[in-house]
Amino acid sequence: MKLNLTHFEVSILFALVTSVMLGLVTKKTDRERVRYGIQCFAYFIVALFGIGWAMHFLHG
Amino acid sequence: MASASSQEASAPASNRSPVLITLVAWLVPGGGHFLLRRRGRAALIFACVLVTFVVGILMRGPMFEPHGGDLLTTLIQWGGFVGDLASGLFYLLTVWLGYAPPDTAGHVHDYGSKLIVAAGLLNILAMVDAWEIAKGEKG
C-alpha cells in the first residue's frame, strides 16, 4: 500500500496534528486547549492559502 | 500568597524521576503523560505522532542518515536524523524491520520524509511537556 498525497493534503494533515499537539502542550485547561488548537489550525489554513496565492502571483 | 493552582503546579506530579518520564516519553510517544496520569493527553499525543509517522512511511519517505559533507548537507542530514530518532520506538522498530526505501527524486517521497521528521518533532514537544509536568513546573 502506498499513499500519494498532494502537497495540499499533506499540509492539512500537518496543520491538524501540529495544532492538536500545540493545544495539548501549551494550555492548562481542556477548554483553553480546544480553543487554542482550533485557533492554530485556522492560522495554518490562512497561511497555507495566503502563501499559496502569494506564490501564484509572484510566479505569474 | 500563592494560589491553590500555582501550589499544585509547583508540586512534582509523580514520584518517578523526570529523566525516566522523559525517556519513556521518547520511547513511546505519550508514554510520559500516561505515567503522569494524563491518560487523555497521552492517547492524543500517541495518535498524533503515530498518524504522522505512518503516513510518512506509507508515502515511502526515506529516513535521514547521519553522514557529513558540506555544512548544509551535514546540518540537513544530522537534523533530519535527530528528528527521525525522536519518534522513539516507531523509528527504531521501522529501521530494525528493514524499512530503507531508496532516496529517489519525487515530491511524494519528499513529503513522506518530512512527515517522518515532523512526527519526531511533535514527540519532542510532548517530551518537553512531560519533563515540565514531572518537575512540577506545569499542571
Side-chain angles (χ1 to χ4, degrees), chain B residues 45-123:
Chain B
I45 290 167
F46 184 83
C48 282
V49 177
L50 181 68
V51 166
T52 312
F53 190 86
V54 167
V55 171
I57 295 292
L58 289 176
M59 292 175 78
R60 300 288 183 269
M63 300 288 191
F64 284 91
E65 289 171 10
H67 62 73
D70 57 56
L71 180 62
L72 188 60
T73 306
T74 306
L75 275 175
I76 291 171
Q77 290 297 330
W78 274 92
F81 175 68
V82 170
D84 287 346
L85 195 60
S87 296
L89 275 181
F90 294 159
Y91 170 78
L92 297 174
L93 283 174
T94 308
V95 171
W96 286 335
L97 290 172
Y99 177 82
D103 191 1
T104 50
H107 66 277
V108 174
H109 304 101
D110 202 34
Y111 298 156
S113 177
K114 302 310 176 283
L115 277 179
I116 295 170
V117 174
L121 297 181
L122 292 176
N123 198 32

Side-chain angles (χ1 to χ4, degrees), chain A residues 1-3 7 25 33, chain B residues 41 58 60 109 111 138:
Chain A
M1 179 183 169
K2 187 185 175 190
L3 280 181
H7 192 161
V25 303
R33 287 181 188 121
Chain B
R41 284 155 78 182
L58 289 176
R60 300 288 183 269
H109 304 101
Y111 298 156
K138 256 176 129 176

